[in-house]
Amino acid sequence: MNKAIFAAFALLALSACGSEPGEPAGQEAAPAKVYAIGEAAPFEDKELTITKVEEMTSIGGEMGAKAEPGETFIVAFYTQKSTAKAPVDALSGSSISFIDANGNAYADDTMASAMAIASLDNMPMLETTLNPGVSSKSAIAWKVAKANFDKATWTLKVEDLTFSLK
C-alpha cells in the first residue's frame, strides 16, 4: 500500500513540473510581443517608437562616415515620449541593441550615430530631461558586413522589447 501512495505522489509531482504557480500545467507563457516600425512601445516612464530603419553607405556628406566596400550602415531613427507626470531622465534605460538571426549583438558606431543625429530635421539638442508629454528624437547606427545583414531576421532590442525590421 505504501508503494501505491508513493507512486501517486510521484506522479502528481511530475505532472506539475514545468508550470508556474497559478498557471495550469501544460500551458506555456505567451511569446513576447514584437513591435513593428512606427509602433509605440511602453518603456519605463516613456514610449519608445522606432520611426524608421535605413541602410546607408554614407552618413553626413563629404566629411561624414563612409562604409567600405562590402559594408553598410544600418541606422535606426527613434523617438521617446515621456508618459510620466513629472520630468524623467531622457538618457535613462538601456541602449538599443542590434541583434542578428543568431542572437549576436552588434556594437554601435559612435561617429556614424552622431552624424545620423546631426542629419535629422531640426537637429535635436541633447535633451537630458523630458517633461510630461514631451518627446525627443534621436538615431543610432551600426556598421556591418553587407552580406551578413538580413532585414527579415535581424531585430532591435531594448531590454525586453523587440522591434522587427520588416
Side-chain angles (χ1 to χ4, degrees), residues 16-96:
C17 286
S19 63
E20 295 293 322
E23 180 181 302
Q27 289 186 355
E28 293 183 24
K33 177 174 175 51
V34 176
Y35 293 88
I37 301 300
E39 184 177 7
F43 179 68
E44 296 178 347
D45 289 337
K46 297 172 265 195
E47 284 181 346
L48 177 66
T49 305
I50 306 295
T51 55
K52 66 181 174 178
V53 176
E54 292 185 3
E55 188 172 350
M56 303 175 165
T57 56
S58 66
I59 305 169
E62 288 298 314
M63 300 302 287
K66 296 186 183 6
E68 297 294 325
E71 300 174 341
T72 190
F73 289 108
I74 307 302
V75 184
F77 296 91
Y78 64 95
T79 61
Q80 54 182 346
K81 180 180 179 181
S82 172
T83 56
K85 294 182 185 198
V88 295
D89 184 0
L91 303 176
S92 70
S94 297
S95 64
I96 299 173

Side-chain angles (χ1 to χ4, degrees), residues 97-106 153-157 165:
S97 298
F98 193 43
I99 311 295
D100 69 14
N102 296 319
N104 299 313
Y106 285 69
T153 60
W154 289 37
T155 60
L156 297 172
K157 291 190 74 79
L165 302 182

